[in-house]
């Protein structure tokens, strides 16, 4: 089989890939760029899927404007051979296998939702536009919906489904919502917002079993075997990097796609100078003992922009301050910097009339982070100055 050759091949039409492609074109890259994704609807924006795309689909545009010279090939990446510099694909349109060679390979396959290991099949999840479409068709006013996982996606879904008139129970084994995002801060406040919206919050939920199927679910809690019944049941317990297709490539380290600060893949025995990772799929290797993985639209876009500049010979960019945002119960919650779990939180600014609060969190190691609630101008100023 003769392999087609490309200078740059990107696996995954993610936000990181879009930022990479856009910045490459801005910097004058005029050769063909092969972008591959198995989702026939890609590229599109994922953040709206749990928010306006559910509640106001007719007024929500999620498509991404790609350069006309950068089409997305709908195919599934099956394997990569770093030595031969080849990528094997299964092409959706024909069902055929195709092999391409590359000079530079960029892995941007994002993350896949985690499903509870003991759950029956049929539980819903939200990662793709197809998932959102299925959920939108299934939900209706008065539907009893259970959501397992009170991270950003779970809290956003609870907010959106309440707007659609569903009766929502939000469960998490943690003792507060958004526990990972806010590092344990503002748990009482976020709980009160959700409860004011009519969400039944069940923290420290000890799920002993899940039975049934679509339309008739039963979730058993705790020693007293309390049973909660639902028409719809969603799993939002998190996501893991989509790296299964790399299992035989030799690129993974303890199951992770490790990348250095330049984005190059760091394998157990070598640094691959022509293979990069960007976006949610990546675990950043900051030192021998420090590994960091973020699931953030802004971080993914930053990865793509910085890699484009590196490939085009631009000087190294200064890393941006970590940033993430979510919408919960009518509030925009923004997180900037490093939020230390044991840090001292104080109110830096407050405007009760607008529901605005800006919290500053200072850790014992002098790390600083900010949590803004309806504080977009304040956070924007901090981002500009950081």
């Amino acid at each position: 089989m003769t392999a087609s050759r490309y200078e740059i091949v990107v696996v995954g039409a993610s936000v990181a890939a879009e930022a990479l492609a856009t910045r490459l074109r801005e910097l004058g890259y005029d050769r063909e760029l092969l972008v591959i994704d198995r989702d026939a609807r890609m590229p599109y924006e994922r953040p709206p899927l749990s928010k306006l795309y559910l509640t106001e689909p007719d007024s929500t545009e999620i498509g991404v404007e790609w350069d006309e010279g950068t089409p997305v090939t709908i195919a599934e990446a099956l394997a990569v051979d770093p030595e031969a510099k080849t990528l094997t694909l299964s092409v959706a349109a024909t069902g055929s296998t195709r092999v391409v060679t590359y000079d530079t390979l960029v892995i941007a396959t994002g993350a896949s939702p985690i499903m509870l290991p003991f759950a029956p099949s049929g539980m819903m999840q939200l990662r793709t536009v197809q998932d959102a479409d299925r959920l939108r068709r299934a939900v209706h006013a008065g539907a009893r919906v259970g959501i397992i996982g009170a991270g950003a996606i779970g809290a956003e879904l609870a907010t959106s489904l309440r707007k659609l008139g569903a009766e929502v129970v939000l469960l998490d084994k943690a003792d507060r919502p958004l526990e990972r995002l806010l590092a344990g801060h503002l748990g009482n406040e976020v709980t009160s917002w959700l409860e004011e919206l009519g969400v039944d919050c069940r923290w420290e939920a000890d799920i002993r079993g899940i039975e049934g199927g679509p339309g008739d679910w039963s979730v058993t809690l705790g020693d007293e075997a309390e049973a909660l019944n639902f028409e719809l049941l969603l799993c939002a317990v998190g996501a893991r990097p989509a790296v299964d297709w790399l299992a035989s490539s030799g690129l993974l380290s303890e199951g992770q796609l490790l990348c250095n600060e330049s984005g190059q893949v760091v394998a157990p025995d070598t640094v691959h100078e022509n293979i990069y990772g960007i976006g949610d799929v990546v675990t950043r290797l900051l030192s021998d003992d420090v590994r960091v993985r973020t699931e953030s639209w802004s971080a993914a876009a930053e990865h793509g922009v910085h890699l484009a500049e590196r490939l085009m010979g631009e000087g190294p960019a200064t890393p941006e301050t970590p940033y993430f945002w979510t919408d919960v119960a009518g509030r925009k919650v923004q997180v900037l910097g490093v939020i230390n779990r044991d840090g001292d939180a104080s109110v830096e600014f407050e405007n009760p009339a607008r529901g605005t609060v800006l919290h500053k969190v200072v850790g014992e190691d002098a790390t600083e982070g900010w949590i803004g609630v309806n504080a977009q101008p304040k956070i924007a100023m901090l981002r500009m100055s950081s």
Side-chain angles (χ1 to χ4, degrees):
M1 181 182 297
T2 302
S4 303
R5 181 183 175 278
Y6 295 87
E7 192 169 276
I8 300 176
V9 174
V10 184
V11 183
S14 61
V15 61
E18 190 274 333
L20 168 69
T22 298
R23 187 60 177 145
L24 281 173
R25 298 306 187 197
E26 290 173 350
L27 294 173
Y29 186 83
D30 58 2
R31 293 174 292 284
E32 187 173 6
L33 184 69
L34 179 63
V35 181
I36 299 155
D37 200 291
R38 65 182 181 180
D39 185 344
R41 296 280 291 273
M42 288 295 281
Y44 53 82
E45 297 279 11
R46 280 197 170 94
L49 296 183
S50 56
K51 305 186 238 339
L52 284 177
Y53 188 76
L54 283 180
T55 59
E56 301 177 28
D58 293 337
S59 63
T60 304
E61 176 56 55
I62 63 172
V64 174
E65 295 295 330
W66 282 56
D67 186 282
E68 291 184 359
T70 312
V72 177
T73 297
I74 306 305
E76 182 172 7
L78 301 178
V80 58
D81 184 338
E83 295 299 322
K85 297 183 180 179
T86 60
L87 180 71
T88 303
L89 313 172
S90 175
V91 181
T94 62
S96 61
T97 299
R98 178 185 176 193
V99 177
V100 300
T101 63
Y102 58 83
D103 292 331
T104 297
L105 176 67
V106 181
I107 299 169
T109 44
S112 301
I114 297 171
M115 292 301 290
L116 294 170
F118 54 83
S121 62
M123 284 183 64
M124 303 185 80
Q125 58 188 19
L126 183 66
R127 182 66 184 178
T128 68
V129 67
Q130 292 89 344
D131 294 334
D133 289 342
R134 282 191 289 270
L135 176 58
R136 199 171 59 203
R137 289 193 296 267
V139 72
H140 58 84
R144 187 163 172 80
V145 181
I147 303 172
I148 300 176
I153 296 297
E156 289 170 0
L157 282 170
T159 298
S160 297
L161 296 181
R162 280 296 298 142
K163 289 182 180 179
L164 293 173
E167 299 298 322
V168 177
V169 179
L170 183 59
L171 307 100
D172 201 297
K173 66 180 181 180
D175 64 356
R176 66 198 73 192
L178 303 182
E179 202 276 340
R180 179 181 173 190
L181 174 63
L182 302 182
H185 299 281
L186 303 189
N188 292 335
E189 290 88 336
V190 179
T191 298
S192 68
W193 305 340
L194 290 165
E195 290 178 341
E196 288 170 5
L197 195 64
V199 176
D200 182 355
C201 298
R202 302 291 188 101
W203 310 146
E204 299 182 286
D206 180 16
I207 298 177
R208 296 298 181 90
I210 301 175
E211 296 179 347
D216 185 17
W217 292 99
S218 178
V219 177
T220 303
L221 300 180
D223 294 332
E224 298 181 2
E226 177 187 6
L228 302 177
N229 299 311
F230 302 108
E231 181 179 338
L232 301 175
L233 187 60
L234 292 101
C235 184
V237 297
R240 61 168 57 94
V243 296
D244 289 350
W245 68 282
L246 296 170
S248 63
S249 68
L251 296 176
L252 301 182
S253 301
E254 299 176 353
Q256 298 176 321
L257 186 70
L258 292 183
C259 293
N260 59 25
E261 293 190 22
S262 297
Q264 294 166 319
V265 172
V266 180
D269 57 352
T270 187
V271 175
H272 291 273
E273 296 185 353
N274 67 324
I275 303 179
Y276 296 85
I278 55 177
D280 293 359
V281 71
V282 170
T283 298
R284 290 284 181 172
L285 184 63
L286 304 184
S287 70
D288 290 342
D289 300 321
V290 179
R291 300 180 180 187
V292 176
R293 192 179 80 84
T294 60
E295 294 178 15
S296 162
W297 187 98
S298 59
E302 179 188 348
H303 286 181
V305 169
H306 288 182
L307 178 55
E309 293 170 351
R310 176 184 174 83
L311 294 177
M312 294 298 288
E314 298 287 313
T318 302
E320 296 183 11
T321 303
Y323 171 75
F324 188 86
W325 66 272
T326 182
D327 287 327
V328 179
R331 282 92 168 169
K332 182 173 289 294
V333 180
Q334 297 168 286
V335 178
L336 180 66
V338 177
I339 307 299
N340 192 297
R341 185 169 300 278
D342 299 319
D344 180 33
S346 60
V347 175
E348 291 287 293
F349 176 83
E350 187 171 16
N351 183 345
R354 296 183 176 226
T356 298
V357 186
L358 179 66
H359 304 264
K360 184 176 182 179
V361 182
V362 180
E364 293 181 357
D365 56 357
T367 56
E368 292 184 347
W370 288 265
I371 302 172
V373 179
N374 294 336
Q376 294 93 312
K378 295 291 183 181
I379 293 292
M381 291 175 63
L382 287 167
R383 293 189 72 188
M384 290 176 61
S385 63
S386 62

